[in-house]
Amino acid sequence: MALTGLQIFKQLPKTNCKDCGHPTCLAFAMALAAGKTSLDKCPHVSEEAKEALGAASAPPIKLVKIGVDQTVVELGDETELFRHDKRFYHPTAVAILVEDTEDIAARLADFNDLEFDRVGLHYVTDMVALQCTSGDAATFKAAAEQVAANTDKSFMLICEDAAVMEAAAEAVAARKPLLYAATNDNYEAMTALAQKVECPLAVKGNGLADLAELVDKITKLGYKELVLDSGNRETSQVLADLTQMRRLAVKKRFRSFGYPTMAFTSKEDAHEEIVQASVYVAKYAGLVVLKAHKKEEILPLLTWRQNLYTDPQKPIQVEAKVNAIGDVTPDSPVYITTNFSLTYYIVEGEVENSKIPAYILPINTDGISVLTSWAAGKLTGEAIAKALEENEMEAKVNHKTLVLPGYVAVLSGSTEEASGWKVLVGPREAAGIPSFAREHFAK
Amino acid sequence: MAFSAMKERYRNKINEVVLGATKEEGGTRGYTVTVGGESALPFLHFEGEIPNRPIVALEVWDVAPTDWHESFTTYFGDVFDNPAQWAKKCVEEYGADVIAVRLKGADPDVADASPEDCVKVVKDILAAVSCPLIVLGCGKAEKDNQVLPAVAEAAAGENLLIGSAEQENYKSLAAACMVHKHSLIASSPIDINICKQLNILITEMNLPAERIVIDPTTAALGYGLEYGYSIMERARIGALQGDKMLAMPILGNVGHEVWRAKEANISAEDMPGWGEQPSRGFLWEATTATALLQAGMNIVVMRHPAAVALVKQNITELMKPTSFEE
């Protein structure tokens, strides 16, 4: 069970030395209780205290790593049930299923291409899930080697026959693949193998009660690099299972479920898989395995993951420098907006829709939206004047007229005064830009 | 350690709101549809009742849309000019639970349709289909205040779900719903306090809470979906924990938002890195809806028949009861 800040405080040196980065031992204890720091930040804590606090101060869900180097996939270490309470940390890893009977090189070429650029962000499909469909140790091993040779990304090996798994796992152990899975029937051999090759191990239960028992048996054998699968495949039950695992780990510190979770889609149709996987991304899967593999299918899923895992307290920003949309000329209009990514890209989309090339100048408002930044005094006539100057807008266009977002029409006077530019008040909503542009800028 | 399921018990449940009225109830609908009533977070059957499944509404416009992606022509090209036939097709072929009539033509910048024109469209659709209707204005408050009360009066007793009332503009709509026996959509701009405040203002006018549906603002996948998601989730948790002024079923204008996004519309030729448009487009809509259903959305207003099929199937699967062996 979780300890309170005061219970933790009693075990600390109480010297207020600040070596942990907190002003007092009490502040450090409170941060520990809230899961915001770890005990190892205190260099002076006694061994007894470490033991007493160790279990309680361990993160509710262990961080588990799959793979190596730059493409290592980190799962778990989550502390919340709802992103609005703080944030989610380690985005659900997306793994694409490939069978060892397929043309591995061709499938991997496709897989490696599953990366996307949108709104200034780069989305990556994290993993390959290689399934032993052949049932043959040599085939599976050769396929695993081919996967390792054909991608830098992390991968997992799916095979419940420990002997078949062993050949493949040993061949690619240096890449630290996730081994799927330990079950009631094979857990001793699978755990021994995972220990030997030092790879993370998936645990597949037969429902949650069975899974908890199986996890305990494996941790008793001394292995804790685990990823949990309830074994269920029906959307409704998997949602229930993932919710219980997260809840028990975070709210009850139930150690048997203190590991990242995973889920498999069960649909044959790729579109249905994306919908099913979107449920599991929303509700707590650390890793989701699916067969869908086309760009138009994976992009919506990765976008949803990106949205969900953004920090609610830190808006995503774009660089506060002028951007030319389309084939701009010195006659092109100049739109002002803020550097809040969402605001900027909505404006950019509508300026594109207007089919009239233009400059968009995002003002640095620390990534907050138009009205909020105006209220906070970050979007001001002076800030706009400074941005016009820094971006040398006078040299780029042959006019001195800017379009101000309709919501901050009130800034017209101060903007004109500070910059010497004429203000044209634009629409309040970006959706109004195309008709506004046609009215004012169409030749 | 032995597993023992952790079940939340909430103090409150979501209001049940009925859409439509049958002949016996003073309307002409063949059947009514009930939303809300749940006493647990979305689809967590193991700890509460979820008596009514979320429903899908398909959008029908009073004027033929000029800015919908060309892929919609395959589905609706033959009926775009005939709202009644369009609505019929949505129900009979594409599985719409209810129809959401959007009176886009009333917009002075679109067709500036008169209140009488709008009334006629709604009447025609009422005659063509037997399902309940949602009626949405053009979004310009001044015009909606002329059009929607006229529709409310002409369809008195039908128990339409009419929207949207906003903080600065709710009185005439709320009054029209009161007098002519309809339900009301209260929309707020991604702000839980305004959402709550508006519900207080409307119920103070004596429109019962059981006739209000909230629209806390939906954003499309990739365009702030997480903001809408978190507001919905917070409102739903607040409602279950006892806040009666948040305990309304939630409506999401999913199709309307999604089909403005570049990702839904742009062709593979123009953006080769994003794959083929047709499935990217309807998956953009289906994924947005699926995400928001996990936050508590009860009524999904959609556009693309393929997305509707996916979302309805997802809802059916999520409505299956769940339990734990302990």
Side-chain angles (χ1 to χ4, degrees):
Chain A
M1 285 306 242
L3 296 180
T4 66
L6 280 176
Q7 286 168 321
I8 296 172
F9 176 65
K10 285 180 188 151
Q11 305 275 351
L12 296 178
K14 304 190 196 69
T15 51
N16 297 338
C17 69
K18 301 187 179 62
D19 289 354
C20 63
H22 288 78
T24 63
C25 288
L26 184 60
F28 180 61
M30 291 301 183
L32 269 177
K36 287 177 183 162
T37 184
S38 56
L39 191 60
D40 58 8
K41 296 271 163 29
C42 174
H44 313 295
V45 68
S46 69
E47 284 306 316
E48 300 84 77
K50 253 186 217 168
E51 201 160 304
L53 294 175
S57 64
I61 299 173
K62 186 176 163 57
L63 180 77
V64 172
K65 295 179 181 181
I66 304 170
V68 291
D69 303 331
Q70 284 88 2
T71 58
V72 68
V73 173
E74 297 189 336
L75 310 179
D77 199 16
E78 298 294 341
T79 58
E80 307 303 322
L81 283 159
F82 304 106
R83 67 184 286 282
H84 59 256
D85 286 334
K86 194 169 167 198
R87 67 166 298 184
F88 295 160
Y89 293 93
H90 293 101
T92 311
V94 173
I96 308 295
L97 192 84
V98 174
E99 300 178 64
D100 67 347
T101 47
E102 293 183 273
D103 178 348
I104 306 286
R107 289 294 318 270
L108 267 287
D110 246 22
F111 166 79
N112 285 327
D113 202 29
L114 281 179
E115 298 198 3
F116 307 89
D117 290 296
R118 71 171 286 279
V119 299
L121 300 167
H122 187 69
Y123 298 169
V124 173
T125 311
D126 313 88
M127 291 172 61
V128 173
L130 179 69
Q131 176 175 285
C132 178
T133 305
S134 68
D136 176 62
T139 308
F140 191 46
K141 175 174 179 246
E145 285 169 334
Q146 258 193 303
V147 169
N150 280 287
T151 186
D152 294 332
K153 301 259 179 71
S154 298
F155 52 92
M156 62 186 278
L157 301 174
I158 301 179
C159 177
E160 292 178 18
D161 181 332
V164 174
M165 178 68 101
E166 184 165 12
E170 288 196 329
V172 295
R175 296 285 295 273
K176 302 273 172 247
L178 172 66
L179 310 183
Y180 182 96
T183 64
N184 277 308
D185 297 333
N186 71 12
Y187 77 91
E188 283 166 316
M190 277 288 186
T191 306
L193 173 61
Q195 274 171 320
K196 184 166 82 173
V197 296
E198 296 180 345
C199 291
L201 177 65
V203 185
K204 180 188 181 187
N206 186 11
L208 290 187
D210 178 66
L211 177 66
E213 278 177 36
L214 185 54
V215 168
D216 291 351
K217 285 180 201 161
I218 291 170
T219 52
K220 274 206 190 87
L221 292 172
Y223 206 60
K224 294 192 169 177
E225 299 300 316
L226 309 178
V227 180
L228 312 186
D229 173 10
S230 76
N232 286 315
R233 295 293 179 263
E234 284 206 335
T235 318
S236 187
Q237 188 63 46
V238 174
L239 170 68
D241 292 348
L242 291 168
T243 303
Q244 278 298 328
M245 286 196 269
R246 173 66 70 89
R247 236 188 228 173
L248 284 165
V250 168
K251 296 183 89 168
K252 298 269 190 198
R253 300 272 172 146
F254 181 65
R255 300 313 301 166
S256 310
F257 289 164
Y259 303 91
T261 54
M262 65 187 295
F264 285 78
T265 59
S266 60
K267 305 290 175 184
E268 288 309 315
D269 178 80
H271 303 146
E272 293 173 19
E273 281 192 281
I274 297 303
V275 169
Q276 197 181 23
S278 298
V279 173
Y280 303 156
V281 166
K283 299 292 166 155
Y284 315 132
L287 164 65
V288 58
V289 183
L290 68 168
K291 298 180 287 292
H293 60 271
K294 290 188 180 148
K295 282 176 175 278
E296 59 270 25
E297 296 155 0
I298 301 301
L299 178 61
L301 184 64
L302 296 189
T303 306
W304 169 222
R305 170 180 80 173
Q306 189 277 329
N307 284 179
L308 190 74
Y309 279 83
T310 50
D311 183 347
Q313 276 132 41
K314 258 192 229 136
I316 302 175
Q317 305 181 21
V318 295
E319 201 184 339
K321 69 170 182 44
V322 69
N323 286 304
I325 310 303
D327 298 324
V328 288
T329 68
D331 295 319
S332 295
V334 177
Y335 293 94
I336 303 291
T337 187
T338 80
N339 74 328
F340 174 33
S341 158
L342 199 57
T343 303
Y344 176 80
Y345 282 105
I346 290 172
V347 170
E348 187 189 89
E350 296 296 349
V351 169
E352 276 175 11
N353 283 346
S354 79
K355 310 234 162 37
I356 295 173
Y359 289 100
I360 305 177
L361 180 56
I363 309 298
N364 183 1
T365 58
D366 297 329
I368 55 179
S369 66
V370 169
L371 264 182
T372 321
S373 61
W374 167 73
K378 289 180 179 176
L379 183 59
T380 62
E382 290 71 34
I384 294 170
K386 193 163 151 249
L388 287 165
E389 201 181 308
E390 284 174 0
N391 287 278
E392 297 171 345
M393 292 313 296
E394 286 192 30
K396 291 190 171 70
V397 293
N398 60 15
H399 59 86
K400 286 183 80 174
T401 301
L402 59 83
V403 180
L404 198 62
Y407 275 117
V408 289
V410 60
L411 285 177
S412 300
S414 63
T415 302
E416 291 191 339
E417 203 168 296
S419 68
W421 283 54
K422 186 172 166 302
V423 167
L424 189 56
V425 176
R428 287 180 157 222
E429 300 289 345
I433 289 175
S435 62
F436 173 86
R438 275 195 299 277
E439 188 182 328
H440 292 273
F441 309 123
K443 299 254 163 78
Chain B
M1 283 196 281
F3 163 74
S4 164
M6 183 180 166
K7 296 178 185 174
E8 301 279 358
R9 291 276 173 239
Y10 295 105
R11 291 159 51 191
N12 195 20
K13 59 180 190 176
I14 305 308
N15 302 332
E16 282 197 327
V17 173
V18 178
L19 276 66
T22 59
K23 207 166 181 184
E24 296 74 39
E25 296 157 338
T28 62
R29 302 299 80 210
Y31 50 93
T32 62
V33 172
T34 305
V35 292
E38 56 268 46
S39 58
L41 287 176
F43 311 108
L44 299 185
H45 306 278
F46 60 82
E47 62 190 1
E49 294 291 314
I50 302 174
N52 301 299
R53 52 181 278 153
I55 61 166
V56 173
L58 262 166
E59 257 185 65
V60 169
W61 286 18
D62 59 332
V63 289
T66 52
D67 59 350
W68 285 26
H69 189 270
E70 63 196 18
S71 61
F72 281 99
T73 320
T74 323
Y75 300 91
F76 300 121
D78 54 337
V79 292
F80 268 150
D81 286 319
N82 186 332
Q85 288 306 312
W86 183 354
K88 213 165 142 63
K89 198 168 187 185
C90 287
V91 175
E92 289 172 7
E93 291 183 34
Y94 302 135
D97 296 312
V98 301
I99 295 295
V101 186
R102 192 183 291 281
L103 298 169
K104 189 75 179 175
D107 187 327
D109 295 333
V110 178
D112 204 13
S114 68
E116 295 73 33
D117 297 337
C118 295
V119 163
K120 183 175 182 306
V121 168
V122 173
K123 285 283 210 185
D124 287 350
I125 295 175
L126 281 167
V129 296
S130 60
C131 69
L133 301 193
I134 298 170
V135 178
L136 305 166
C138 66
K140 294 194 173 154
E142 211 170 297
K143 187 64 184 286
D144 284 346
N145 281 343
Q146 300 168 28
V147 167
L148 294 174
V151 169
E153 186 178 353
E158 290 284 9
N159 193 16
L160 305 172
L161 177 60
I162 300 180
S164 295
E166 293 173 5
Q167 194 185 22
E168 304 303 324
N169 182 46
Y170 65 92
K171 287 184 182 158
S172 56
L173 255 189
C177 286
M178 279 280 294
V179 175
H180 304 295
K181 300 200 166 51
H182 301 295
S183 299
L184 180 62
I185 302 167
S187 31
S188 45
I190 316 198
D191 184 319
I192 203 155
N193 296 318
I194 296 177
C195 176
K196 199 173 152 171
Q197 176 66 15
L198 184 56
N199 288 332
I200 293 171
L201 292 170
I202 293 171
T203 47
E204 276 174 357
M205 286 181 69
N206 286 327
L207 188 72
E210 294 70 29
R211 275 166 55 192
I212 302 173
V213 166
I214 54 177
D215 170 9
T217 301
T218 312
L221 177 63
Y223 291 87
L225 175 58
E226 68 275 25
Y227 292 84
Y229 180 86
S230 285
I231 286 288
M232 270 188 201
E233 198 165 51
R234 283 175 60 196
R236 182 49 49 95
I237 292 168
L240 292 173
Q241 287 174 346
D243 194 332
K244 295 204 178 310
M245 282 300 119
L246 288 172
M248 289 74 183
I250 300 174
L251 173 141
N253 253 310
V254 170
H256 181 257
E257 290 303 318
V258 164
W259 290 98
R260 280 158 50 171
K262 182 158 126 185
E263 289 78 356
N265 292 293
I266 199 165
S267 70
E269 290 77 61
D270 289 340
M271 192 59 82
W274 289 357
E276 297 298 326
Q277 183 278 333
S279 41
R280 169 162 35 81
F282 66 72
L283 280 173
W284 214 260
E285 186 173 15
T287 305
T288 305
T290 304
L292 293 173
L293 284 167
Q294 288 301 320
M297 179 168 57
N298 300 86
I299 304 175
V300 201
V301 183
M302 304 185 68
R303 286 188 183 171
H304 200 294
V308 169
L310 287 167
V311 169
K312 285 195 72 166
Q313 192 201 12
N314 183 240
I315 292 170
T316 301
E317 284 169 16
L318 287 166
M319 285 304 287
K320 286 190 188 154
T322 52
S323 61
F324 300 105
E325 274 179 42
E326 293 178 30

